Amino acid sequence: MTTHLFSESQTLRLTKAIVEKATTDAGKRIELRDSVVSGLVLRVSPTGLRRYVCKISMGKKTPAIALGSPDKVDLEMVRIQARDKIQAVKKNTLKYGPRSACRVTLRQLILEATPILAKRKNGGKIWSLREHRKTPDAVGTLEKVFQTLLDEPVREIDPDTIDEVVTQGHNAAAPGSASRGLSYLRTLYDWAAQRGKFAKTGSGRKVPIELPEVEKITKPAEPRRRERTLNFREAGLVWREVTKPDAGVGHSAHRFIMCTASRRGPVAKIRCGDINPINGTWTFVAKGGETKTIGLSQSIIAWVTSLPSYDRRNLDAYLFPNSKGGPFCDWDAATKAIQEATGTANWTRYDLRRTAASALESYVDDDFPHHELLSHANPGDGHLKAKAVVDRLMTKPHQSGIGLTYRPETDPGIEKSMRKRTRAATARLERYYEECAMMVE
């Protein structure tokens, strides 16, 4: 296939063959200026990426307007669009801020907008810095999803480029994260352009920037619901690894998740005072903000109170601390270390929760609807969805196999009964993992 190789920027008559096959060996991005429409430029990157932009000379200012990709926009149509932009500027119908606004990169725009968006009553929490986090959730997602565009001027990022970024490359394997990133980018662009929720005077950027409508960009496919559980061999190998006498903090935190089928958040924030060795209970704040207390087996209590980090004289100390004494946060490294040591792969910490739910479900009587509990489809009864199965088992158990009979919330003695049943459930889980470990001897 014939290619058109260019070593430097130049002016020439753009043709369909050139825009489709132009490449460069300059080691940097070059610009091919169209001799037919002054201001129309084809940018060619060493990676093979090609983009149309319209550069409009306005004295000391030369803003560039993204016009799309040659793969999606016809050359003649681009020339028409470029002429329209130039005429709009001459007629003073297309406004631009100062030159500094024209060169604002995506990274700079994020840093500028974050403290302002964090003050919003609705939606500001996601832009706020949370405890023990280096960056707000929205900022972290934007930097991860649009990492290849962070240092590009926002006016030169066209919708086609954004569409390719959120649907291809490293985002193809994480469509959920890409979808959230696209939503945050929409808020960011609306704020910068003073439109939508920020159209009211004073609510958007002081010097607005003309940016494309993100709503028109293809939304990434929704992620499939995960169904992964550890098999008997994997569960046994992992259990043997996390129960070693010299297990570190990360291993111990994973062990606690396996024993209690808990989420990562509550486990990371366990303080010594949350564990009651006399009553054999653990008190924590569950998802949604509700404080709950569950029973722990005697062996779990004995193990927890024997940890070097457990200090009865300092009840505010974290049970699983990091190097600075705060809550444990190096989860990914700990999970990876366990996987490498056991020869297992492709499981997450939430898969440990799901494995625990499956293990408990195996003790259920035949007349119990366990197929609804573990099914990832909605069985029609919201409180029996699979995503809630572990919470139901560990806080409001529904298993007759562990001495359970359903009781309404108003039943006297429900708390004591619940702790007794959850204590039995944690003992069941330990027994299950021990059996798995014996099978892989």
Side-chain angles (χ1 to χ4, degrees), residues 225 350 357 372-377 379 382 384-390:
R225 193 179 295 277
Y350 201 90
E372 291 186 349
L373 280 174
L374 295 179
S375 172
H376 287 271
L384 289 179
K385 287 183 180 179
K387 66 180 182 180
V389 59
V390 175

Side-chain angles (χ1 to χ4, degrees), residues 36-208:
V36 177
V37 177
S38 178
L40 177 61
V41 176
L42 176 69
R43 287 179 170 173
V44 183
S45 300
T47 59
L49 186 68
R50 301 182 300 278
R51 288 288 181 268
Y52 288 121
V53 297
C54 178
K55 301 186 75 173
I56 306 172
S57 179
M58 300 174 59
K60 294 182 179 181
K61 296 183 295 183
T62 309
I65 304 174
L67 298 178
S69 167
D71 299 331
K72 298 185 178 182
V73 185
D74 182 71
L75 176 59
E76 293 304 320
M77 182 61 67
V78 168
R79 283 178 171 148
I80 294 174
Q81 292 177 4
R83 290 192 184 99
D84 291 342
K85 295 291 184 183
I86 294 171
Q87 290 298 321
V89 171
K90 290 181 178 179
K91 294 179 180 179
N92 202 31
T93 58
L94 184 61
K95 302 286 185 180
Y96 287 95
R99 181 176 177 80
S100 59
C102 301
R103 301 303 301 173
V104 172
T105 64
L106 180 58
R107 190 191 305 275
Q108 292 171 338
L109 189 63
I110 293 173
L111 293 176
E112 178 186 350
T114 298
I116 300 174
L117 295 176
K119 297 178 181 179
R120 299 175 61 210
K121 292 183 179 180
N122 297 326
K125 185 177 180 180
I126 200 69
W127 295 89
S128 303
L129 186 63
R130 294 200 295 170
E131 185 182 5
H132 307 297
R133 290 289 184 92
K134 295 182 179 179
T135 58
D137 291 344
V139 175
T141 302
L142 285 171
E143 291 179 345
K144 183 178 180 180
V145 173
F146 301 103
Q147 57 184 265
T148 58
L149 302 177
L150 289 175
D151 296 317
E152 293 289 330
V154 287
R155 274 191 175 155
E156 299 177 14
I157 302 175
D158 56 83
D160 292 337
T161 302
I162 299 175
D163 183 68
E164 290 179 7
V165 167
V166 298
T167 57
Q168 301 177 16
H170 66 283
N171 290 316
S177 178
S179 181
R180 290 192 299 273
L182 189 62
S183 176
Y184 302 149
L185 186 70
R186 181 181 301 117
T187 301
L188 181 69
Y189 271 29
D190 286 348
W191 172 83
Q194 290 187 0
R195 63 173 178 243
K197 299 178 182 178
F198 305 94
K200 186 178 178 180
T201 304
S203 61
R205 194 173 188 267
K206 290 183 179 179
V207 180

Side-chain angles (χ1 to χ4, degrees), residues 6 8-14 18 30-42:
F6 297 90
E8 59 183 9
S9 300
Q10 55 185 280
T11 301
L12 74 167
R13 180 186 177 90
L14 294 178
I18 291 177
I30 64 170
E31 294 186 347
L32 303 180
R33 298 176 290 273
D34 187 25
S35 60
V36 177
V37 177
S38 178
L40 177 61
V41 176
L42 176 69

